[in-house]
């Protein structure tokens, strides 16, 4: 059984839980280690007691660097009882640095994999500081055996053109884990009852102040014809008073966190539309990503709303599904949705429902494929490769799978 030591930036992030479940479903043993930004019992993984490296704070880059430096000094002791892994994965740049340190402590002969699912805005700065961070990424990533990322636009706009890294690349989209019956339910259209509003769900990592303000303004203009439902983890560092703002927005409600993937059918089943827009790093990471909510809403029948010019909008346009907002203001959102009726909604829902559901889900075969790809990086995997050719697993450096 492949043993993976997985270093993560936030043990409370539900996306970390999803990746660990994916690796386990693929047949790997996972030792989890990382920092914690807050407490989130919904992100706990049955049977795994993580190694905690310390506490970090969202949007406090200096504090995070200090915490990483401190953990590097303590890492030998923290890993004393850890069985030597076959592969080490570092999720995000700071954890890649920790992964390299762990490799030297544990023997120095196992492959390190760089997992990067967001391009931080600091890496994209054109000043000396941005250049220094990219240099650090090249330093820690040059000898990595593989890069895992989640959007073709990350490869196109950053990794091939700006990063300076020359690594084999595996594309792991933010699909819904569906290995134990999750996602088996076929979504049905949900027309509002007489006098009930249309509902837009904005679920997941809530970090975009512009989206919050735009949706509140829109729902006020619609005078109750639309209701905004928020679920997930607000990034309080990005809002002056998230709770107060929502409390004072008459047609907006926050339902708290949820468990992914177990609660997805229930929360998306309450809404007709999914807000798949993020202006947090507009023109950069937010324009390039393919968010979790795109796949979650697609699987569970919530018609996605994207912003024109983004990778998400391109994804929808290629499939002729969803709705696209042309300008980031309430007036344009009113123009897009204000005349919504049963006929128009059903046409959008049926187009979404006609899609191949497999594009929204990660099944057990895909989990096994990932673990096989990671196994191929090891000495044992390379010996096996001499005896047989594994389909779709070998790529030249710089290639995209």
């Amino acid at each position: 059984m492949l043993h993976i030591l997985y270093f993560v930036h936030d043990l409370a992030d539900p996306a970390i839980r999803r990746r660990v479940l994916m690796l386990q479903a693929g047949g790997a043993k996972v030792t989890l280690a990382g920092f914690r930004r807050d407490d989130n019992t919904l992100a706990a993984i049955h049977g795994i007691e993580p190694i905690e490296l310390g506490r970090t704070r969202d949007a406090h880059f200096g504090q995070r660097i200090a915490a990483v430096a401190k953990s590097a000094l303590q890492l030998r002791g923290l890993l004393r009882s850890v069985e030597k892994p076959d592969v080490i994965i570092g999720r995000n740049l700071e954890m890649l640095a920790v992964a390299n340190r762990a490799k030297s402590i544990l023997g120095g002969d196992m492959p390190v994999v760089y997992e990067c699912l967001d391009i931080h805005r600091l890496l994209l700065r054109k000043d000396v500081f941005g250049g220094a961070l990219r240099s650090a990424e090249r330093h820690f990533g040059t000898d990595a055996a593989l890069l895992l990322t989640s959007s073709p636009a990350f490869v196109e706009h950053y990794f091939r053109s700006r990063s300076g890294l020359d690594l084999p690349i595996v594309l792991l989209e933010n699909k819904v884990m569906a290995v134990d019956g999750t996602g088996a339910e076929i979504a049905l259209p949900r027309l509002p009852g007489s006098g009930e509003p249309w509902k837009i769900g904005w679920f997941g990592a809530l970090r975009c102040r512009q989206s919050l303000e735009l949706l509140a303004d829109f729902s006020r203009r619609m005078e109750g014809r639309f209701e905004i439902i928020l679920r997930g983890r607000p990034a309080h560092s990005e809002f002056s008073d998230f709770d107060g703002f929502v409390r004072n927005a008459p047609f907006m409600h926050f339902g708290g966190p949820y468990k992914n993937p177990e609660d997805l059918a229930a929360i998306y089943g309450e809404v007709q539309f999914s807000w798949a827009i993020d202006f947090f790093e507009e023109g950069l990471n937010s324009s390039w990503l393919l968010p979790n909510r795109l796949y979650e809403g697609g699987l569970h029948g919530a018609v996605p709303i994207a912003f024109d010019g983004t990778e998400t909008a391109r994804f929808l346009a290629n499939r002729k599904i969803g709705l696209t907002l042309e300008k980031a203001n309430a007036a344009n959102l009113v123009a897009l949705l204000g005349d919504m009726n049963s006929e128009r909604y059903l046409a959008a829902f049926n187009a979404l429902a006609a899609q191949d559901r497999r594009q929204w889900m990660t099944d057990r075969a895909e989990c096994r494929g990932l673990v096989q790809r990671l196994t191929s990086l090891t000495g044992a995997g390379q010996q096996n490769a001499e005896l047989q050719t594994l389909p779709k697993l070998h790529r030249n450096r710089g290639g995209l799978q």
Side-chain angles (χ1 to χ4, degrees):
M1 176 181 288
L2 186 74
H3 178 204
I4 298 170
L5 176 56
Y6 189 22
F7 286 102
V8 302
H9 66 296
D10 183 10
L11 292 166
D13 186 345
I16 302 298
R17 178 177 185 265
R18 185 175 68 245
R19 179 67 75 236
V20 172
L21 293 177
M22 183 178 184
L23 293 169
Q24 290 179 325
K29 171 186 174 182
V30 180
T31 297
L32 182 63
F35 294 94
R36 188 178 296 279
R37 295 187 185 176
D38 58 38
D39 295 315
N40 179 14
T41 58
L42 295 180
I45 306 163
H46 179 70
I48 288 189
E49 188 66 33
I51 300 168
E52 297 210 13
L53 304 180
R55 286 263 176 174
T56 57
R57 288 179 290 169
D58 191 29
H60 288 75
F61 186 75
Q63 187 269 337
R64 284 164 54 188
I65 294 300
V68 168
K70 181 179 179 181
S71 74
L73 298 175
Q74 301 172 337
L75 197 58
R76 187 179 297 275
L78 292 169
L79 297 179
R80 185 174 293 115
S81 62
V82 174
E83 176 188 349
K84 186 176 179 179
D86 301 300
V87 176
I88 303 176
I89 301 176
R91 183 169 176 132
N92 291 355
L93 175 54
E94 65 263 41
M95 304 318 298
L96 178 63
V98 176
N100 277 280
R101 170 66 176 156
K103 177 178 178 176
S104 65
I105 290 172
L106 295 170
D109 58 352
M110 70 284 292
V112 170
V113 174
Y114 180 24
E115 183 177 29
C116 184
L117 308 183
D118 283 296
I119 312 300
H120 198 285
R121 61 185 179 275
L122 296 178
L123 281 167
L124 298 168
R125 283 173 51 161
K126 298 180 181 179
D127 58 10
V128 173
F129 184 72
L133 276 183
R134 290 190 295 276
S135 293
E137 183 180 53
R138 287 193 295 273
H139 171 74
F140 292 116
T142 293
D143 293 328
L146 191 67
L147 170 66
L148 306 177
T149 194
S150 58
S151 171
F154 290 157
V155 178
E156 177 185 353
H157 296 292
Y158 180 72
F159 286 114
R160 283 186 177 155
S161 59
R162 304 192 198 186
S163 72
L165 293 174
D166 180 22
L167 302 174
I169 298 171
V170 168
L171 185 68
L172 289 179
E173 296 174 79
N174 291 312
K175 297 179 182 180
V176 177
M177 277 292 297
V179 297
D180 295 314
T182 301
E185 314 88 346
I186 302 298
L188 299 174
R190 43 267 190 183
L191 288 166
S194 178
E196 293 182 352
W198 297 99
K199 294 182 180 180
I200 301 173
W202 180 25
F203 303 149
L206 309 179
R207 59 184 182 176
C208 178
R209 184 173 60 234
Q210 186 174 350
S211 285
L212 187 69
E213 294 172 351
L214 192 161
L215 288 167
D217 187 7
F218 163 75
S219 61
R220 281 193 179 94
R221 293 186 185 210
M222 297 305 298
E223 298 179 333
R225 282 194 59 223
F226 280 80
E227 184 178 344
I228 313 302
I229 308 298
L230 312 177
R231 296 293 301 264
R233 299 173 69 214
H236 290 284
S237 61
E238 303 300 327
F239 306 99
S240 58
D241 181 9
F242 175 85
D243 296 324
F245 185 95
V246 174
R247 189 166 51 248
N248 293 323
F251 308 111
M252 178 177 281
H253 306 282
F254 177 54
Y258 57 91
K259 199 166 188 178
N260 186 337
E262 291 85 345
D263 295 339
L264 294 180
I267 65 173
Y268 279 96
E270 296 177 350
V271 302
Q272 288 86 25
F273 304 95
S274 172
W275 187 255
I277 294 177
D278 186 347
F279 302 108
F280 178 62
E281 292 175 353
E282 189 174 0
L284 301 172
N285 187 72
S286 292
S287 296
W288 304 336
L289 58 77
L290 292 173
N292 297 319
R293 57 183 69 97
L294 169 65
Y295 301 90
E296 296 167 0
L299 179 62
H300 296 292
V303 177
I305 304 171
F307 187 57
D308 191 35
T310 64
E311 185 70 11
T312 304
R314 183 166 69 174
F315 180 100
L316 298 181
N318 288 341
R319 293 159 177 79
K320 296 181 173 58
I321 57 175
L323 304 171
T324 301
L325 180 66
E326 292 185 358
K327 295 182 180 179
N329 58 55
N332 271 264
L333 192 52
V334 169
L336 178 66
L337 296 177
D339 63 352
M340 186 58 59
N341 55 35
S342 299
E343 182 179 3
R344 188 175 171 216
Y345 162 70
L346 289 173
F349 176 88
N350 290 332
L352 183 64
Q355 293 290 304
D356 184 347
R357 288 166 52 81
R358 290 175 297 181
Q359 72 181 313
W360 312 120
M361 301 185 293
T362 295
D363 60 15
R364 196 173 295 276
E366 191 169 347
C367 297
R368 286 195 293 263
L370 172 61
V371 172
Q372 288 174 358
R373 182 66 179 94
L374 296 173
T375 301
S376 75
L377 305 174
T378 67
Q382 291 168 0
Q383 291 173 6
N384 289 337
E386 294 176 1
L387 302 177
Q388 60 180 340
T389 301
L390 296 177
K392 299 183 179 179
L393 294 184
H394 179 73
R395 292 292 184 274
N396 294 327
R397 293 182 73 82
L400 172 64
Q401 177 175 321

